[in-house]
C-alpha cells in the first residue's frame, strides 16, 4: 500500500496532540485526549511528560511491535501501552483519571489480508468497491451520559464549570466497565478495541483519521464518506485539512455547528492499494 498523510495542530507551531506514523505495510493514527477550548490548559494530568510525548511514545512503540505480522494487532497495542507506561519512568501518577490517553487506529497489510484495529473515536473508512465504504469507529465515548443536562450560556463561568464537570465525568469513565475503552496506562484496554480484516484483493482505498479531520463528514455535513475518500485521493490529505480549517473559520463562534473546540488537531492518512 502507498500511504500519504498529514497531521496538523490547531495552529502552526502549537504542540500537536495527534500523531501519524507509518512503517513497512503499517500505518498508525493516534489522537491524544485533550480538553475543550473553555478549559484549555487547565487539566492536571499528573504526568511530567504531556500528551504530545504520550502519543509519540505510544506510536513509535506500536510501529516497532506491530511490525511483526505474526503479532496480533491487539497484542501489539497492549505491549505498546505497557511499554509507554514504563517509559513514564515512575514519576507520574498513571492511576489518575486524567493520565495521558489516546484513541488508536491501525491498518496493516500482509499478503492475504488487510487488518485493522480501532480504539475510541478516531475513524477508519475502507473502500472495498461497494457503493458505501466500510466505516469503523467506536462511539462508546459519545454514548457516555452526563449527570447535569442543563447547559449554561456559552462563555459564562457557569459554562466553564459545566465543561470541567463533564471532563471529570468523562475521565472517570475511561476504561470503566460502563464507560469506554481508550489507550492510557492499562494494557487490557487493547482487548476491547474493534478489530477485523478484509481479503487483500477487496480493499481499494482506506483513510485513517482523527476526529479533528472527520468533522467535514460527521460535524459539518459537507461531505459523505465516499466524497471524503475521493477528496483525499484526488487532491491529497492536505486539502482535507485545508477544507476543514476553512469551514471552521466560517463558524468561528461555533454557533452553526456547536463543538467544544473551534479547531482541533487534525490527521489524515490515505492508503491506496
Ligand atoms: Zn508521564
Amino acid at each position: 500500500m502507498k500511504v500519504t498523510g498529514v497531521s496538523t495542530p490547531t495552529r502552526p507551531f502549537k504542540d500537536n496532540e495527534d500523531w501519524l506514523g507509518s512503517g513497512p505495510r503499517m500505518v498508525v493514527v493516534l489522537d491524544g485526549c485533550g480538553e475543550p477550548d473553555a478549559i484549555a490548559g487547565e487539566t492536571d494530568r499528573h504526568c511530567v511528560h504531556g500528551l504530545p510525548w504520550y502519543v509519540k511514545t505510544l506510536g513509535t512503540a506500536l510501529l516497532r511491535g506491530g511490525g511483526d505480522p505474526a503479532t496480533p494487532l491487539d497484542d501489539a497495542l497492549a505491549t505498546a501501552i505497557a511499554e509507554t507506561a514504563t517509559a513514564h519512568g515512575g514519576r507520574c501518577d498513571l492511576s489518575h483519571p486524567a493520565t495521558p490517553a489516546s484513541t488508536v487506529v491501525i491498518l496493516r497489510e500482509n499478503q492475504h489480508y488487510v487488518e485493522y484495529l480501532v480504539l475510541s473515536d478516531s475513524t477508519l473508512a475502507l473502500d472495498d468497491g461497494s457503493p458505501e465504504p466500510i466505516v469503523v469507529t467506536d462511539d462508546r465515548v459519545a454514548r457516555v451520559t452526563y449527570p447535569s443536562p442543563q447547559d449554561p450560556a456559552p462563555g459564562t463561568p457557569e459554562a466553564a464549570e459545566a465543561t470541567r464537570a463533564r471532563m471529570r465525568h468523562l475521565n472517570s469513565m475511561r476504561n470503566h466497565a460502563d464507560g469506554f475503552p481508550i489507550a492510557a496506562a492499562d494494557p487490557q484496554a487493547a482487548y476491547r478495541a474493534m478489530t477485523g480484516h478484509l481479503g487483500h484483493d477487496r480493499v481499494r482505498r482506506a483513510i485513517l483519521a482523527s476526529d479533528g479531520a472527520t468533522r467535514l463528514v460527521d460535524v459539518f455535513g459537507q461531505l459523505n464518506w465516499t466524497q471524503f475518500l475521493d477528496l483525499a485521493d484526488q487532491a491529497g490529505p492536505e486539502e482535507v485539512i485545508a477544507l476543514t480549517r476553512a469551514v471552521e473559520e466560517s463558524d468561528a463562534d461555533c454557533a452553526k455547528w456547536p463543538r467544544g473546540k473551534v479547531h482541533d488537531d487534525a490527521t489524515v492518512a490515505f492508503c491506496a492499494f
Side-chain angles (χ1 to χ4, degrees):
M1 68 179 165
K2 179 187 171 196
V3 180
T4 50
V6 62
S7 182
T8 60
T10 52
R11 56 180 187 276
F13 306 107
K14 187 183 171 292
D15 283 340
N16 190 356
E17 295 172 351
D18 281 7
W19 190 87
L20 162 66
S22 65
R25 296 176 292 282
M26 183 175 171
V27 58
V28 174
V29 166
L30 307 178
D31 177 0
C33 301
E35 64 260 280
D37 290 344
I39 58 167
E42 286 186 11
T43 301
D44 181 358
R45 302 191 185 284
H46 296 254
C47 167
V48 300
H49 302 93
L51 275 176
W53 173 89
Y54 180 80
V55 291
K56 184 177 69 178
T57 306
L58 182 68
T60 49
L62 258 175
L63 287 181
R64 194 167 54 240
D68 177 0
T71 304
L73 291 180
D74 50 7
D75 285 346
L77 177 57
T79 301
I81 292 171
E83 287 179 8
T84 305
T86 302
H88 279 279
R91 290 185 288 164
C92 312
D93 177 7
L94 304 187
S95 66
H96 193 276
T99 194
S102 177
T103 74
V104 180
V105 188
I106 311 169
L107 194 70
R108 185 174 70 181
E109 67 168 353
N110 62 38
Q111 204 175 345
H112 304 293
Y113 296 111
V114 174
E115 308 167 85
Y116 63 82
L117 179 150
V118 176
L119 182 63
S120 200
D121 63 351
S122 290
T123 299
L124 170 69
L126 284 163
D127 177 5
D128 67 345
S130 306
E132 295 291 328
I134 300 164
V135 178
V136 185
T137 186
D138 182 350
D139 68 351
R140 278 174 281 189
V141 61
R143 283 188 268 138
V144 172
T145 52
Y146 300 103
S148 131
Q150 289 188 335
D151 271 328
T156 60
E158 292 77 17
E161 184 47 42
T163 302
R164 283 184 205 101
R166 273 202 292 271
M167 285 303 293
R168 282 194 296 272
H169 182 63
L170 203 58
N171 288 343
S172 74
M173 298 304 279
R174 288 177 174 182
N175 294 325
H176 189 282
D178 300 324
F180 59 95
I182 195 157
D186 177 4
Q188 289 304 312
Y191 300 104
R192 295 176 69 197
M194 302 166 75
T195 57
H197 64 268
L198 274 77
H200 195 282
D201 54 356
R202 282 183 59 194
V203 184
R204 301 180 180 185
R205 308 181 291 178
I207 269 188
L208 297 78
S210 66
D211 67 348
T214 58
R215 288 176 159 193
L216 286 171
V217 178
D218 54 25
V219 177
F220 305 140
Q222 304 287 302
L223 303 175
N224 62 34
W225 287 110
T226 299
Q227 293 166 330
F228 190 74
L229 276 155
D230 288 345
L231 181 63
D233 189 0
Q234 292 156 16
E238 304 84 354
E239 200 52 37
V240 174
I241 307 295
L243 182 57
T244 304
R245 297 299 183 224
V247 177
E248 288 168 344
E249 290 296 343
S250 77
D251 182 44
D253 55 1
C254 304
K256 187 171 181 185
W257 296 290
R259 54 198 193 275
K261 303 173 189 177
V262 179
H263 305 289
D264 196 0
D265 301 334
T267 302
V268 175
F270 177 78
C271 311
F273 293 84

